[in-house]
Amino acid sequence: MEPIQQLQAHLVDVIRLSQIGAVLGWDQQTMMPPGGAEARAEHLATISKVTHEMFVDDKTGRLLEEAERAAQGMDGDSFEAALVRVVRHDYDLETKLPTALVEAIARETARAHEVWVKAREASDFAAFAPTLERIYNLMRQKAEALGYEDRPYDALLDQFEPGMKTAHVAEVFAGLRDELVPFVQQVFDRLDAVDHSMLHLHYDVDKQAAFGLDVIRKLGYDFERGRQDKAVHPFTTNFSINDVRITTRYLPNFLPSALFSSVHEAGHALYEQGSDQRLEGTPLAGGTSLGVHESQSRLWENLVGRGKPFWQHFYPQLQQTFPEQLGGVDLAAFYRAINFVSRSLIRVEADEVTYNLHIMLRFEMENDLLEGKLAFRDAPDAWNARMQQYLGVTPPSDREGILQDVHWSSGLVGYFPTYALGTLLSVQYWDKALADVPSIPDDIAAGNFAPLLDWLRTNIHVHGRKYLPAELTQRVTGEPLQYRSFMRYLRAKYSEIYGL
Ligand code: ZN
């Protein structure tokens, strides 16, 4: 066998084991009774230990080196070259970290979760600060172990967005911030212009579920190769290209929650279901980065699901489903309502206009904390000052400020930017899709989502992890990541909605 095929064959069991772990994780969040929690933690620990040991085995390193030699001079676009690059990326992530550091991070973050939950409940940052400082110390060690050229944050960011550099993110965010902050202020001055009270009426959850399932089926989510269940925090997971699960949750008094979270997760799932079948069982199946993954979920959620053509098609059906609540609300009023902007302090509740400001704040704080430019005791003040500067609001408590997200307590530093990168990419990809296939808005208004899905499949989904995110974006759109398309989209859409 050729060295690259040997490497691929060697990794089959590693991939199967991690897929088995994903089944257990899916069950944990959807079906498992509370009594199963302890045993499940043990199952998952064993699976991840065995998977890790098999992957970091000397044999993997040896086969990888042989495969790298064999891949030299190969076409960089080839399956083989991509496979070797992806395995090298994953292998370095798993092997460069000393076992003692991995264990220290696992121990600290396991303990940190409870500390964070209590501190958040009590809105007491001081109770969390020493833990946070220890986590950031570990993150610094992690960055050193993984290695970086420019800034320690590069190493952490690379885990989630391979190849992306801190300086690039900072440059894009700085340009975006300068345009977005004044625009947000303009919208805030007109918040009363949109009535969204009808969204907060009572909506029967069974009817919500039936409508939502019908929507995602029409978008192209394949129920032969997936299913939707309920979970406290909606997520997508997969055990194969041909088994991609999504979850949602229903709020009886807020219609958009389940609907748009279903469309969002279906967007992630369409990406996973769309990998070339030849990638099945190889490390190349699935999304190339969290940012590109988020571009797919947000494209379907925001560009499609919160757009006019989508509701030209679906609104009559929604009105028939909820005649009491929506019978007297015309399409234009409903469209404005589902796009309402608010001065939310909470990231996960933020609309598409303000969302990226929440992310920029976290990105800047993470860098300052990591590089020792900000003392931990001063972090809440720094957070609140940025909220005031970007959104014109100061959180009344740390609970609604610096303590709101679970990420830092889990050791996820470098993760937040991918949410904003995905949002920017979603508009770049959408613009290109419309330039290539101008009928897409009319097709959507007619309930035909296939032309858009086909474009995404051909240009993005089939490639799986074959291209680095920056390569993929350059290939698809002919340009690098940028914020101008996003700002143009926001200005056009929200100037109309808010009468600016
Ligand atoms: Zn998402």
Side-chain angles (χ1 to χ4, degrees):
M1 244 199 303
E2 295 299 314
I4 295 173
Q5 288 164 303
Q6 278 186 34
L7 176 67
Q8 194 186 333
H10 171 70
L11 292 177
V12 165
D13 284 338
V14 174
I15 291 167
R16 285 188 190 143
L17 274 173
S18 68
Q19 291 170 336
I20 292 165
V23 179
L24 295 176
W26 170 83
D27 177 77
Q28 182 182 39
Q29 293 192 58
T30 53
M31 299 289 162
M32 190 189 74
E38 244 173 82
R40 183 54 45 87
E42 302 295 336
H43 301 151
L44 285 167
T46 300
I47 285 273
S48 68
K49 189 177 107 202
V50 174
T51 313
H52 173 78
E53 280 168 0
M54 282 181 72
F55 185 49
V56 302
D57 190 88
D58 287 347
K59 193 176 173 192
T60 309
R62 211 167 51 243
L63 289 173
L64 180 56
E65 278 173 25
E66 285 167 22
E68 281 176 327
R69 273 194 294 279
Q72 267 169 20
M74 268 187 187
D75 177 7
D77 268 7
S78 66
F79 169 86
E80 287 79 10
L83 180 91
V84 171
R85 177 185 59 71
V86 163
V87 175
R88 167 58 70 191
H89 179 264
D90 296 352
Y91 185 74
D92 283 354
L93 273 182
E94 296 271 332
T95 55
K96 280 188 173 177
L97 301 178
T99 312
L101 179 60
V102 173
E103 283 172 5
I105 292 172
R107 216 168 24 243
E108 191 60 55
T109 53
R111 198 182 308 141
H113 187 76
E114 275 309 298
V115 178
W116 168 73
V117 168
K118 287 202 178 110
R120 181 168 165 269
E121 266 168 25
S123 196
D124 179 8
F125 179 76
F128 182 54
T131 301
L132 187 64
E133 187 162 0
R134 280 198 299 277
I135 288 176
Y136 267 83
N137 279 331
L138 291 167
M139 292 299 116
R140 221 170 281 137
Q141 292 171 41
K142 187 176 188 178
E144 295 301 331
L146 292 173
Y148 56 88
E149 281 172 21
D150 187 15
R151 296 173 68 173
Y153 197 81
D154 289 341
L156 303 180
L157 181 62
D158 191 77
Q159 303 170 91
F160 311 111
E161 199 64 17
M164 180 58 75
K165 297 289 180 244
T166 312
H168 188 190
V169 176
E171 183 197 319
V172 171
F173 280 5
L176 175 60
R177 189 182 51 223
D178 289 349
E179 290 198 33
L180 188 52
V181 169
F183 184 67
V184 164
Q185 202 47 58
Q186 274 181 286
V187 176
F188 278 178
D189 290 342
R190 302 259 315 149
L191 286 187
D192 292 345
V194 171
D195 172 19
H196 51 89
S197 56
M198 79 295 273
L199 301 178
H200 306 267
L201 300 171
H202 181 79
Y203 288 87
D204 179 76
V205 294
D206 291 333
K207 287 183 183 171
Q208 285 193 45
F211 182 81
L213 285 171
D214 193 46
V215 167
I216 57 176
R217 187 174 287 115
K218 281 192 180 148
L219 298 184
Y221 177 73
D222 183 354
F223 281 89
E224 285 293 314
R225 300 192 292 135
R227 52 177 285 135
Q228 187 192 53
D229 293 274
K230 282 192 271 187
V232 179
H233 302 289
F235 66 96
T236 298
T237 186
N238 63 288
F239 324 133
S240 155
I241 294 170
N242 300 312
D243 191 351
V244 184
R245 308 289 174 95
I246 56 177
T247 57
T248 192
R249 67 170 162 201
Y250 298 97
L251 300 181
N253 293 311
F254 190 51
L255 178 67
S257 181
L259 179 61
F260 290 117
S261 96
S262 292
V263 174
H264 180 100
E265 299 306 329
H268 282 300
L270 288 169
Y271 189 12
E272 293 285 336
Q273 288 185 333
S275 279
D276 193 318
Q277 288 290 341
R278 284 173 298 181
L279 305 184
E280 173 69 8
T282 79
L284 290 182
T288 187
S289 72
L290 292 188
V292 176
H293 236 299
E294 201 63 10
S295 79
Q296 298 306 294
S297 56
R298 289 190 189 257
L299 186 148
W300 287 101
E301 179 191 349
N302 292 332
L303 282 302
V304 178
R306 292 182 204 269
K308 272 184 194 165
F310 180 91
W311 289 107
Q312 280 166 17
H313 175 68
F314 278 116
Y315 194 54
Q317 185 184 337
L318 187 68
Q319 280 183 307
Q320 277 163 25
T321 309
F322 298 109
E324 276 174 47
Q325 298 89 335
L326 298 174
V329 179
D330 69 19
L331 174 60
F334 180 76
Y335 166 74
R336 284 195 301 274
I338 55 166
N339 287 296
F340 81 93
V341 176
S342 68
R343 285 180 194 271
S344 178
L345 298 164
I346 308 296
R347 176 185 60 86
V348 296
E349 292 169 6
D351 48 81
E352 59 176 336
V353 177
T354 56
Y355 188 84
N356 285 338
L357 293 171
H358 292 271
I359 299 303
M360 286 176 216
L361 172 158
R362 285 157 179 76
F363 168 74
E364 290 160 3
M365 297 230 6
E366 286 182 339
N367 272 289
D368 287 351
L369 289 170
L370 197 66
E371 293 177 352
K373 291 179 185 159
L374 174 64
F376 285 84
R377 62 173 181 281
D378 298 332
D381 287 345
W383 179 289
N384 294 346
R386 279 199 174 83
M387 281 299 288
Q388 186 60 45
Q389 187 190 343
Y390 297 168
L391 286 150
V393 280
T394 298
S397 70
D398 291 342
R399 185 191 160 91
E400 293 152 285
I402 193 167
L403 290 174
Q404 66 181 269
D405 295 305
V406 70
H407 299 60
W408 291 347
S409 66
S410 315
L412 292 175
V413 176
Y415 187 110
F416 280 121
T418 65
Y419 294 126
L421 301 180
T423 309
L424 303 184
L425 289 174
S426 71
V427 182
Q428 290 183 255
Y429 297 153
W430 170 256
D431 284 353
K432 185 65 168 85
L434 266 58
D436 288 353
V437 189
S439 68
I440 282 174
D442 291 340
D443 295 331
I444 291 176
N448 178 11
F449 297 90
L452 173 61
L453 183 56
D454 287 347
W455 187 91
L456 293 168
R457 283 263 190 276
T458 313
N459 288 283
I460 297 171
H461 300 176
V462 286
H463 300 307
R465 299 176 70 194
K466 191 169 150 188
Y467 299 108
L468 284 167
E471 286 169 1
L472 181 74
T473 300
Q474 188 71 41
R475 257 181 81 93
V476 172
T477 68
E479 57 178 19
L481 168 84
Q482 41 88 357
Y483 67 87
R484 295 179 312 277
S485 301
F486 172 74
M487 272 313 302
R488 210 161 31 232
Y489 156 73
L490 271 197
R491 280 185 205 286
K493 178 173 176 178
Y494 288 89
S495 296
E496 187 203 326
I497 291 171
Y498 279 91
L500 302 178

